[in-house]
Amino acid sequence: MSTEIIGKEAGSAPAPRAPRQSFGKWFTSTGWRHLIGVALCIYAAFPLLYVLSASLNPNGTLLSSNGFFSTIGFNSYVELFQNEQRPFGAWFVNTLVIGLTTAAASVFLGALAAYSFSRMRFTGRRVGLVSLLIVQIFPQLLAVVAIFILLTSLGDVFPVLGIDNQIALIMVYLGGALGVNTYLMYGFVNTVPVEIDEAAKIDGAGHARIFFTMILRLVAPILAVVGLLSFISSTSDFVIASVILVSPENQTLAVGLYSYVSEEFTSNWSVFAAGAVLAAIPVMALFLFLQKYIVGGLTAGAGK
């Protein structure tokens, strides 16, 4: 009995503490990683703070905002919505409409093409996949002249697809993004076991039912990633949008805000920075909303 009691008392004794690491050993093993992480955070936050400070600077220049938040005022934000020649509200709405429409259509069309290449066998399948990959080598910027001439000719027959029309810009974005989106989704759809399709076909389901009720739910992460990338690329595009959209009321934020700094003697960088801050809100909100899907969507299809 006494031996058992002694054993219990010995077992309840606190475990000895591990020896404390020296600073040099800790820094060599893991500390340097924290230092790099802090440096990267500062590097990433600096331009954001600089733009925010410039947007609150009432002087309208970037040079006087070197001292962060030395002067604070909201005159630039007020001027954004009071300038009748530069309708910021219309630009904001146009950007949201074009970005969300492009993102939704890119996801839907890309998912349809990816499912067809992954699950169906037809003549020209491999050639089509290779062609999609080769076309993406050439940037869309090289086709600006061709796009302008094409839309000018189409506008004579179909005005809705002509110059200075937002639908025409959406069609151009869809044509440029379809290839890379299809290839991204194709690798992700291949990770879904074919046995699921076969089991559904035994129960009498066709391709349409399998696609809409099963595949779309299983590949939701890559759908979120493609939608986010399409939204960012369409809302931040300047070159193609500036060629197609001419009227101020039809322009997007990227094109409209450029007018604040394009003139040599009347540049107002403070208002431009204020518009850039507001333009970042939809992208940030969509990113936070889709954050739980992003990591899985970017990595799950990488093994195929």
Side-chain angles (χ1 to χ4, degrees):
M1 178 67 69
S2 60
T3 305
E4 185 176 356
I5 294 175
I6 293 174
K8 290 181 178 180
E9 292 177 355
S12 61
R17 293 182 178 180
R20 189 173 183 179
Q21 283 184 334
S22 63
F23 177 79
K25 188 175 181 180
W26 171 82
F27 185 82
T28 304
S29 59
T30 59
W32 61 274
R33 302 177 183 177
H34 297 279
L35 184 62
I36 294 177
V38 172
L40 291 177
C41 291
I42 296 175
Y43 180 78
F46 177 78
L48 302 179
L49 294 176
Y50 195 93
V51 171
L52 182 60
S53 175
S55 68
L56 298 175
N57 180 16
N59 295 327
T61 63
L62 292 179
L63 296 178
S64 59
S65 63
N66 290 333
F68 280 143
F69 305 103
S70 58
T71 56
I72 297 178
F74 296 93
N75 298 333
S76 300
Y77 292 91
V78 175
E79 185 177 345
L80 275 176
F81 296 94
Q82 290 183 346
N83 194 330
E84 297 180 356
Q85 286 74 27
R86 294 165 178 168
F88 179 82
W91 298 343
F92 198 91
V93 174
N94 295 339
T95 302
L96 287 181
V97 171
I98 293 174
L100 293 175
T101 304
T102 302
S106 297
V107 168
F108 181 68
L109 295 177
L112 287 175
Y115 178 79
S116 301
F117 282 118
S118 177
R119 291 297 193 263
M120 301 178 184
R121 298 296 179 265
F122 50 88
T123 304
R125 172 180 171 273
R126 184 174 299 275
V127 176
L129 282 173
V130 175
S131 301
L132 287 176
L133 186 61
I134 294 176
V135 169
Q136 301 308 308
I137 297 176
F138 305 96
Q140 197 175 17
L141 183 63
L142 298 177
V144 171
V145 176
I147 291 172
F148 178 80
I149 297 174
L150 179 63
L151 294 182
T152 302
S153 302
L154 286 175
D156 297 335
V157 182
F158 304 102
V160 73
L161 296 178
I163 296 295
D164 200 23
N165 197 292
Q166 297 177 6
I167 297 179
L169 180 62
I170 293 174
M171 293 300 176
V172 172
Y173 286 155
L174 292 179
L178 184 59
V180 64
N181 293 340
T182 300
Y183 219 83
L184 283 175
M185 294 185 184
Y186 170 73
F188 203 99
V189 174
N190 283 340
T191 62
V192 179
V194 184
E195 291 77 11
I196 296 179
D197 299 20
E198 295 175 351
K201 291 179 181 178
I202 293 176
D203 293 336
H207 284 293
R209 186 173 181 180
I210 293 173
F211 174 76
F212 286 105
T213 61
M214 299 172 60
I215 298 298
L216 287 183
R217 297 181 181 180
L218 295 175
V219 300
I222 194 61
L223 300 182
V225 171
V226 169
L228 179 63
L229 295 178
S230 299
F231 182 80
I232 293 176
S233 62
S234 59
T235 54
S236 60
D237 174 66
F238 171 77
V239 177
I240 298 178
S242 62
V243 171
I244 297 178
L245 301 179
V246 180
S247 302
E249 63 274 7
N250 292 331
Q251 293 175 346
T252 59
L253 285 172
V255 181
L257 289 177
Y258 178 70
S259 62
Y260 282 102
V261 295
S262 59
E263 300 177 3
E264 184 176 359
F265 299 104
T266 59
S267 297
N268 195 327
W269 288 97
S270 180
V271 179
F272 176 83
V277 171
L278 296 180
I281 293 177
V283 177
M284 182 179 63
L286 185 61
F287 180 84
L288 294 176
F289 179 73
L290 301 175
Q291 186 177 11
K292 61 181 179 180
Y293 299 106
I294 291 175
V295 176
L298 289 174
T299 60
K304 281 291 180 179

